[in-house]
Amino acid sequence: QVQLEESGGGLVQAGGSLRLSCAASGRAFSNYAMGWFRQAAGKEREFVAAISGSGINTYYADSVKGRFTISRDNAKNTVYLQMSSLKPEDTAVYYCATGRARYVTSTSTTDFRSWGQGTQVFVSS
């Protein structure tokens, strides 16, 4: 069972930036795609970004495309989410999750297995 721990959340003003990190335990980190999701208060958890095991292929929700960048360092078993030009509507708890294969086969929450506890991001206007 992979253990995931997110960090890097906090309070930021609109237009600012944050970088989230997700550290994974266990071996064979590069064998699995990774994803970032978020859940705002009273809303469903939604896809934000995903990256293949090699890091070559990345996918983004339309709402964050051009503002967020997902990356990974397989030597450090860590995936990152660089968030720029943040908006109040980006306020949410952000979760990382492990995909079921090396490639991103889906952006549905049901196709990701291990989840972290989440890190809160609050963007003030």
Side-chain angles (χ1 to χ4, degrees):
Q1 183 76 11
V2 176
Q3 301 292 326
L4 302 174
E5 183 174 0
E6 302 95 338
S7 62
L11 172 63
V12 63
Q13 288 188 330
S17 299
L18 279 176
R19 188 176 83 154
L20 306 183
S21 299
C22 172
S25 65
R27 300 176 292 178
F29 178 71
S30 61
N31 285 351
Y32 298 98
M34 296 293 296
W36 283 98
F37 293 78
R38 67 187 181 187
Q39 187 166 17
K43 295 188 177 182
E44 296 288 318
R45 190 170 297 187
E46 65 175 6
F47 168 75
V48 174
I51 187 167
S52 61
S54 67
I56 292 175
N57 301 109
T58 57
Y59 306 83
Y60 298 94
D62 288 342
S63 59
V64 306
K65 202 170 293 183
R67 300 188 298 121
F68 291 11
T69 302
I70 188 171
S71 61
R72 65 191 297 161
D73 184 337
N74 287 339
K76 296 182 178 180
N77 279 18
T78 302
V79 62
Y80 305 97
L81 185 68
Q82 177 68 48
M83 306 186 295
S84 302
S85 301
L86 283 161
K87 305 175 181 180
E89 51 263 44
D90 294 318
T91 294
V93 178
Y94 284 71
Y95 300 88
C96 64
T98 305
R100 298 183 182 275
R102 186 185 301 268
Y103 297 99
V104 179
T105 57
S106 166
T107 59
S108 170
T109 57
T110 57
D111 287 310
F112 287 78
R113 41 180 194 172
S114 301
W115 293 81
Q117 293 299 307
T119 185
Q120 175 73 56
V121 171
F122 185 84
V123 183
S124 63
S125 57

